[in-house]
Amino acid sequence: GYQQNWENNFIPPVFFAKTNTTLGGGGLYSTTEDLLKWHNALQNNTLLPDELMKIYFGHHFQFSDNDGYCYGNYYDSLKINEKKSLGIYSHGGSLPGNSSLIFRVPESNQCIILLTNGGMGHEQFLYTIATEIMNILYNEEFHMPKLSLVYPLIYTAFFADIDVMNKQYFFLKENAPDAYVFEPEQLNIITMVLMQYNMMEYVEGILKLNIDEYPEDYSVYSELGKFYAGNEDNELALEYLNKALVLSKDNMEIINMIKEIKESVKQKR
């Protein structure tokens, strides 16, 4: 596989990673043919007895609505049109140089398997491709999918640093504006992931970059206000939340946050 090196804009080959130290994630190699055998075994109930199949496909972590995480499967509902939705079991994965996705629709016995050697972190892009393939299969309108900025920028932040990540962002914006999704939520999601990994020193700069890029979008001010509120910098939190409130036209979530911060300040006095 190949992985972009953004410091010198060269894509060196990535050799096979050793898998004897990992299980599950990165624990084995496969092919489209073998993954189809896996789908067929699950589809025909030849892999596990019924009681274990129920456990395997049970929602052991519940997301919003009916979406959830099973054993090695995400479950979510894909809306095809106003009359039809499909239950999707899927999972992506990536290692340096490679990304993959298996996308299963048990009720219609459909399976989409996508493997790429074009770099790690493209699972969401592969999922978008899979959903557009479903639109084609059901004779619905489809669009050429765009790459999410989240994964390439996140991996650059993890394995390089924030300066290289910023360089990558502007490189993509200048050279591939039609290939990637450039929207405020992309950088907002990146900051949430960085906070989950306790990389707090990067967050403020990315949120300010988002404001520079999308000065008319209320969410970029709201996210920076939330960040300052989490750090108990109430003065800056109120400044940016009030800016978000003006642009959002009386968003109740922002109004409530402002009230909570003001009440907290009064109590401390």
Side-chain angles (χ1 to χ4, degrees):
Y2 297 83
Q3 190 67 37
Q4 186 78 49
N5 183 334
W6 289 99
E7 290 182 291
N8 57 19
N9 194 29
F10 175 70
I11 306 179
V14 177
F15 297 102
F16 288 122
K18 292 182 178 180
T19 62
N20 58 344
T21 58
T22 54
L23 296 172
L28 45 82
Y29 301 122
S30 192
T31 64
T32 52
E33 291 84 358
D34 283 347
L35 288 170
L36 181 59
K37 292 177 183 178
W38 172 257
H39 163 75
N40 288 332
L42 292 173
Q43 192 72 17
N44 299 324
N45 293 321
T46 58
L47 182 68
L48 297 170
D50 289 344
E51 60 270 20
L52 291 181
M53 287 287 283
K54 291 179 181 178
I55 296 173
Y56 180 73
F57 286 112
H59 293 190
H60 303 289
F61 186 88
Q62 193 71 36
F63 301 130
S64 60
D65 301 324
N66 194 39
D67 297 352
Y69 192 77
C70 315
Y71 284 140
N73 290 278
Y74 286 100
Y75 175 84
D76 62 333
S77 180
L78 176 66
K79 184 178 180 181
I80 299 296
N81 52 46
E82 293 300 323
K83 296 182 179 180
K84 189 173 186 63
S85 294
L86 296 169
I88 307 298
Y89 290 92
S90 67
H91 211 296
S94 68
L95 287 171
N98 299 277
S99 297
S100 60
L101 175 76
I102 183 168
F103 182 103
R104 303 182 58 250
V105 191
E107 65 186 272
S108 55
N109 193 19
Q110 293 168 313
C111 181
I112 298 171
I113 299 161
L114 299 170
L115 309 177
T116 175
N117 66 345
M120 70 188 301
H122 296 312
E123 300 98 312
Q124 187 60 45
F125 179 55
L126 297 182
Y127 190 93
T128 303
I129 292 175
T131 58
E132 294 299 344
I133 290 174
M134 293 300 295
N135 285 333
I136 294 171
L137 291 175
Y138 285 89
N139 297 314
E140 296 293 332
E141 183 181 0
F142 69 94
H143 306 87
M144 292 301 293
K146 291 186 177 183
L147 286 158
S148 169
L149 284 171
V150 174
Y151 289 96
L153 295 184
I154 279 292
Y155 283 113
T156 300
F158 283 170
F159 296 114
D161 58 44
I162 195 65
D163 291 332
V164 178
M165 193 207 83
N166 285 340
K167 188 186 300 183
Q168 179 184 8
Y169 172 83
F170 287 109
F171 176 89
L172 293 175
K173 184 178 180 181
E174 180 179 353
N175 293 280
D178 296 325
Y180 285 84
V181 178
F182 286 90
E183 295 177 354
E185 69 169 3
Q186 297 284 296
L187 293 177
N188 284 339
I189 293 172
I190 288 170
T191 60
M192 287 188 283
V193 175
L194 292 175
M195 285 190 283
Q196 289 174 356
Y197 284 88
N198 202 31
M199 301 173 72
M200 304 299 290
E201 68 275 16
Y202 294 165
V203 173
E204 183 179 13
I206 297 174
L207 291 172
K208 287 183 176 179
L209 169 63
N210 218 10
I211 289 175
D212 292 339
E213 292 289 285
Y214 305 99
E216 301 302 319
D217 189 284
Y218 83 89
S219 71
V220 298
Y221 298 95
S222 174
E223 291 301 318
L224 186 55
K226 292 176 186 177
F227 172 76
Y228 286 131
N231 290 334
E232 297 186 351
D233 192 333
N234 294 319
E235 183 176 348
L236 283 174
L238 289 172
E239 176 185 340
Y240 283 96
L241 287 172
N242 278 307
K243 288 181 179 179
L245 186 59
V246 172
L247 292 170
S248 68
K249 299 179 181 178
D250 299 331
N251 182 289
M252 286 306 301
E253 180 186 4
I254 297 174
I255 290 173
N256 290 333
M257 288 185 63
I258 292 172
K259 286 181 179 178
E260 290 176 8
I261 294 172
K262 288 182 176 180
E263 289 175 2
S264 175
V265 171
K266 286 182 179 178
Q267 290 175 0
K268 289 179 181 179
R269 289 175 181 171

